[in-house]
Every structure is written in C-alpha cells, then in structure tokens.
Amino acid sequence: MRTFSVAVVGATGAVGNEMIRVLEQRDFPVGQLKLLASARSLGKSLEYRGKSVKVEVLNEDSFDGVQVGLFSAGGSISEKFAPIAARSGCVVIDNTSAFRMDPEIPLVVPEVNAEAIGQYKKKGIIANPNCSTIQMVVVLKPIHDAVRIKRIVVSTYQSVSGTGKKAVDELEDQTRAILSGREPVVKVYPYQIAFNCLPQIDVFLDNGYTKEEMKMVNETRKIMNDPSIAVTATTVRVPVFYAHSESINIETERKITPAQVRELLSRAPGVQVIDDPAQRRYPMAIDAVGHNDTYVGRIREDESIANGINMWVVSDNLRKGAALNAVQIAEILIRDYLG
Ligand code: A2P
C-alpha cells in the first residue's frame, strides 16, 4: 500500500496529541511521521504505534519531502509556515482560524462539503473549521437539505480543552485550590473558570459579539454554501474538561416535525440520535469524550414559532471538532487527489 509522509505541527499540544491518536486508530497510511513543536519541546519524544518518535523543532526546512501537514500550533505559526509548507509541495490541513474565510481556501467538514476539498490546489491549504461550527453543521446539513433552514440561534457550552493544554491544567488547579480553601490562580482566562461560566470566548469585536461567535456565523454560511442563512451565536466557556455542548434553535422554511428530524438524523453520517426523555436519555459531554460521532437529543418543536425546532448537540471538541475532522479530510485527499 502507498504510504504518505505526514507532519503534525503542534504535536505536543492538546489537538496535536489527539491527531497522533486518530492517525493511529484510523490506520492512516503513514510512512514517515514528523512531530513538530517549539524549541520548548526539544528533547521530548511522543509515542506512535508503540514506538517513540522524537519531537523536532519547527523550521523552514521541516516540510522537505512531507506530503500532508496537519497544523495546530496557533494562528501565527500557520500564517508563517503553512505557505512555506505548501510551496514545498506539502498539502496543509490547518486547524487554526488563519485561512478559514479566504475565498481561495476550502473550509471543509467531510459529511457536509467534501467536494470542496479539490480546491486545495489553488493554495495548497485546506482549512479545518472551528470546533463549535463543525458539530453544529454536521447535524444541521441534512435538515437544511430537506426543509431549508432560514435562521439558527445557538448557545454553546464549551470545554476548556478547546483553549489548549494550559487551560485544562488551569481548571484542574483552580478546582483543587478552591476545594482546599486556597485562592485560585487566574492565568489563561480573564476570570476564574472553575465553578463559573464565562460568556466570552476569544476577543470582543466592534459589533459586541466575540470572534468565536462570528466564526460560527461566517463559517456556517461558507461550509453550507448558503450566505442567506441567518445565524446568531452566544459562546460560553464552562468548567468542563472535554466535549462541547450546544443548544440549537432553528427556524425552517417548510415544516418538519421532531419525529421527522429524528428519522432524518438517524441516517446522517457521523451523527447519533440519543433522544428518549421518558428514560432520561440525552447526550452529555461525559459520554461523548473519546468518541467520533456527534450526538443529538432533546429534539422538540419550538412552540413559539410556526416552523421551529430545538435540539441539544454534543461532541468531543478535540475529535470531530478538530483532530478527527482534519484526518477525515486527509483520508479523502489521499484517496481522491494524491493517490
Ligand atoms: P510546545 O509544546 O513546544 O510549546 P496547545 O494548544 O495545547 O497549547 O498546544 C500548542 C502547540 O503549538 C504545542 O504543540 C506547542 O509546542 C506548539 N507551538 C506553540 N508555539 C510554537 C512555535 N513557536 N513553534 C512551533 N510550535 C509551537
């Protein structure tokens, strides 16, 4: 079988580490694996398929001979190194927001718009969407195709792992401190995250929304290839380690019943319906961790409007929200374009 030389940029981070695990678990045909990070990680090694692989310091020559680059080391690293990698013939799948809204760069969720992957040829880069957007569009696309969604109102309950390893440590440290009667130390977020909810993810923009909220608006329209969908978002960081939850309200052009939504989504790729209120069954963050699917439940009619549906959507943000989606893109890339 043909194999590919793969680089993981930001390999020591929360998403990078998950990328390595997903490559392993999905048997991606990796020939050589390059693990790249900053000089801080010099001397470190990481496990891949039972072997220890040395972490290398990212530099301009890192991509010689590399065919697929999975980037997750922050926007400024991608801005600098993704074009360098692309020039040396490596196809970049970028998990940061650096290129997502570039009209010449495809923004892809394979279950929704796999056909856009071919546009990588323009700049050698494919963008992986924002984690909250991915899990929302995977669920909404089949409904949009069936009855056209006019408007989406979404509120998110996002775990700290989306911010990175330091934030996971901070939630743990603050929780321990507070439970032992010590003052919590606040470093990563503007305020204490333990036992709290922060209605701010990323920076505030002039319109009063945060950047994370506007990512959900703009990326949803680009991925669904429909600039007419109205989207409004409130994104909230909650003291959960892994997996994001979302309350989603949609208004559709044509009527669809909750039973029809359940039936439609039970056939949707990458989606599992868990929706049995009588048995108190609904998706929860703790059940989604480590799984590839996006879970949907609490599907019910919005009785305040003519054609409205409410639902609750949960997914592992490091998996479908980041590493898994990137590797799924890479799988299609090597099968249909590089094979
Ligand atoms: P390092 O561990 O060497 O700092 P997270 O999002 O979990 O915080 O992870 C960020 C990832 O991005 C880490 O792998 C980190 O490596 C990597 N990274 C951060 N800054 C740089 C840089 N200047 N060059 C290369 N990798 C970087």
Side-chain angles (χ1 to χ4, degrees):
M1 187 175 57
R2 181 155 179 218
T3 59
F4 296 83
S5 173
V6 177
V8 177
V9 181
T12 52
V15 173
N17 186 60
E18 201 67 22
M19 282 170 166
I20 299 167
R21 298 286 80 81
V22 173
L23 287 169
E24 249 173 16
Q25 285 165 8
R26 293 176 72 89
D27 261 331
F28 192 89
V30 177
Q32 193 207 3
L33 181 66
K34 266 199 173 186
L35 302 181
L36 301 164
S38 79
R40 289 181 291 272
S41 296
L42 198 64
K44 270 193 195 159
S45 294
L46 296 168
E47 285 270 307
Y48 176 71
R49 288 190 173 277
K51 291 203 184 106
S52 169
V53 181
K54 272 216 167 82
V55 177
E56 298 172 41
V57 179
L58 173 68
N59 67 63
E60 303 201 355
D61 301 322
S62 296
F63 302 96
D64 292 350
V66 175
Q67 290 151 300
V68 179
L70 304 174
F71 277 56
S72 191
S76 55
I77 296 293
S78 290
E79 271 164 29
K80 178 169 175 202
F81 286 95
I84 291 172
R87 271 198 294 281
S88 75
C90 166
V91 181
V92 172
I93 301 170
D94 182 40
N95 194 52
T96 77
S97 61
F99 305 106
R100 287 180 190 150
M101 294 314 296
D102 183 328
E104 298 207 297
I105 290 179
L107 181 65
V108 178
V109 177
E111 293 86 345
V112 178
N113 65 338
E115 68 286 350
I117 290 175
Q119 292 166 30
Y120 82 89
K121 288 172 190 153
K122 289 184 194 150
K123 288 195 171 169
I125 301 171
I126 301 166
N128 206 42
N130 166 269
C131 45
S132 304
T133 309
I134 294 177
Q135 70 181 67
M136 182 166 85
V137 296
V138 161
V139 170
L140 295 189
K141 179 64 161 64
I143 303 174
H144 189 54
D145 287 345
V147 290
R148 277 194 58 83
I149 295 172
K150 288 203 303 199
R151 179 168 184 249
I152 304 167
V153 181
V154 56
S155 298
T156 69
Y157 305 67
Q158 297 181 224
S159 67
V160 296
S161 55
T163 313
K165 243 181 180 163
K166 286 193 195 83
V168 172
D169 294 343
E170 179 147 317
L171 173 57
E172 187 177 335
D173 292 346
Q174 288 182 354
T175 307
R176 283 186 200 286
I178 293 165
L179 292 178
S180 338
R182 284 182 279 116
E183 229 356 78
V185 179
V186 174
K187 280 189 291 197
V188 174
Y189 295 114
Y191 300 97
Q192 173 189 318
I193 182 65
F195 307 100
N196 200 10
C197 298
L198 304 177
Q200 178 192 352
I201 299 185
D202 212 328
V203 295
F204 280 102
L205 304 173
D206 288 344
N207 63 359
Y209 284 79
T210 61
K211 206 168 161 191
E212 181 84 352
E213 288 160 351
M214 292 314 294
K215 282 177 198 168
M216 292 194 79
V217 174
N218 297 322
E219 293 181 22
T220 297
R221 291 175 176 157
K222 180 168 175 178
I223 301 161
M224 306 260 263
N225 194 22
D226 187 348
S228 74
I229 304 180
V231 186
T232 186
T234 302
T235 57
V236 182
R237 189 73 67 189
V238 297
V240 166
F241 285 105
Y242 300 101
H244 291 352
S245 304
E246 298 178 348
S247 159
I248 301 176
N249 172 271
I250 54 169
E251 184 176 1
T252 58
E253 215 164 87
R254 296 182 293 283
K255 181 91 188 156
I256 187 164
T257 66
Q260 286 168 328
V261 171
R262 271 181 220 110
E263 204 278 320
L264 198 59
L265 294 180
S266 67
R267 291 184 275 116
V271 175
Q272 265 194 58
V273 179
I274 303 181
D275 196 16
D276 188 357
Q279 300 298 320
R280 284 181 293 194
R281 295 199 67 237
Y282 35 73
M284 289 185 291
I286 52 172
D287 298 324
V289 180
H291 294 284
N292 291 341
D293 282 336
T294 296
Y295 300 91
V296 55
R298 301 293 326 277
I299 299 167
R300 62 206 190 278
E301 189 155 348
D302 172 358
E303 296 179 338
S304 70
I305 49 172
N307 298 338
I309 292 285
N310 285 310
M311 64 187 88
W312 177 251
V313 172
V314 181
S315 195
D316 184 328
N317 56 298
L318 297 182
R319 286 255 161 166
K320 186 56 185 165
L324 172 66
N325 198 70
V327 173
Q328 286 176 313
I329 293 171
E331 287 169 351
I332 298 171
L333 179 77
I334 61 164
R335 186 193 68 201
D336 294 353
Y337 301 97
L338 306 184

